[in-house]
Amino acid sequence: MANKPEDKIQSVLFLPDNPERKSEGGLRTQGYFKHNHADKPLISVITVVFNGAEHLEQTINSVIGQTYDNVEYIIIDGGSTDNTLEIIKKYEGQIDYWVSEPDGGIYDAMNKGTGLATGEWVNFMNAGDWFMRNDTINSIFRNNIKSDLVYGDHEIRYSTLNKSVKAKSVLEIFKGMPFCHQSMLILNRLQLTNPYQYKKYKVAADF
């Protein structure tokens, strides 16, 4: 089922049938759909996961715990064989759409998520990532955003490393990644027309 042609964002609400699909679900499959509003744009948050049960629940709680009240949540699972699906189904009533099927890797899955997003803005918060605060999105969109891209600092946390990373100007991209995709909100129409080139750049398509 596709959005109406007059919609600004040409996305799809459901993926085509796939014989390798394990399962799908979420609010859309029950007939519930969210919408953009002039005074409160719909923000699509996409989580990509594959056998990420250990960290997925933290990510989900970070997204559904946002105080901004017009968030569309999409989870793209690559056909996990651990208990990732059990965790997703636990929160099915707070996820707009989720699907579990084989894909071509993280960037293919991120492109797939973009194609399903109906929000004006898109953010990728993949398994193991989380928002630093529950009012992160609200603090951004309480302002009238006039840019095509909003980004900020991020923090790297491992068992042996805890490091804050300051975002740099996009003009410095020749020096390296100026920010990470988790700390970025981009207009969906731009993400759709500039997908991750995962077949050409298998390791660093996000760069």
Side-chain angles (χ1 to χ4, degrees):
M1 179 178 180
N3 288 345
K4 296 177 182 179
E6 62 268 24
D7 287 350
K8 291 182 180 179
I9 298 171
Q10 297 300 310
S11 303
V12 296
L13 297 176
F14 304 100
L15 292 172
D17 291 338
N18 183 348
E20 295 184 283
R21 181 169 301 155
K22 286 190 170 185
S23 189
E24 68 179 337
L27 296 173
R28 288 186 188 177
T29 63
Q30 301 167 35
Y32 297 100
F33 305 93
K34 293 177 180 174
H35 304 281
N36 284 287
H37 302 284
D39 60 339
K40 185 157 286 188
L42 180 63
I43 313 301
S44 297
V45 180
I46 300 166
T47 292
V48 167
V49 60
F50 177 67
N51 288 340
E54 183 180 359
H55 303 292
L56 178 60
E57 194 160 18
Q58 180 182 32
T59 302
I60 291 175
N61 281 313
S62 170
V63 176
I64 66 178
Q66 287 295 300
T67 57
Y68 188 84
D69 61 2
N70 200 20
V71 174
E72 171 183 73
Y73 192 25
I74 296 168
I75 298 181
I76 307 296
D77 174 62
S80 293
T81 55
D82 61 0
N83 65 331
T84 290
L85 287 186
E86 284 71 18
I87 294 172
I88 292 174
K89 290 176 180 178
K90 177 180 175 181
Y91 296 94
E92 186 164 26
Q94 294 166 283
I95 298 169
D96 291 273
Y97 181 73
W98 65 267
V99 64
S100 178
E101 62 185 28
D103 54 46
I106 183 171
Y107 300 117
D108 180 30
M110 290 167 73
N111 287 342
K112 187 185 294 184
T114 303
L116 287 161
T118 63
E120 183 176 347
W121 293 84
V122 171
N123 167 261
F124 294 100
M125 196 60 61
N126 294 335
D129 305 324
W130 67 90
F131 290 102
M132 292 294 291
R133 299 183 344 213
N134 64 0
D135 67 341
T136 297
I137 296 178
N138 195 54
S139 67
I140 295 170
F141 289 95
R142 67 165 59 107
N143 304 301
N144 185 15
I145 305 298
K146 296 188 181 296
S147 300
D148 296 334
L149 176 71
V150 179
Y151 64 91
D153 306 335
H154 67 281
E155 189 169 296
I156 299 172
R157 291 188 185 182
Y158 295 112
S159 58
T160 57
L161 175 66
N162 192 333
K163 179 183 179 182
S164 294
V165 181
K166 298 290 289 184
K168 300 179 179 64
S169 168
V170 291
L171 299 178
E172 297 186 38
I173 194 168
F174 67 94
K175 297 180 181 179
M177 289 277 283
F179 52 86
C180 69
H181 59 248
Q182 293 93 331
S183 67
M184 173 187 74
L185 284 143
I186 185 171
L187 287 176
N188 194 10
R189 60 178 173 79
L190 292 182
Q191 187 66 51
L192 280 170
T193 54
N194 297 276
Y196 292 107
Q197 300 295 321
Y198 70 95
K199 292 182 179 178
K200 184 176 182 180
Y201 303 110
K202 299 181 184 300
V203 177
D206 50 351
F207 181 82

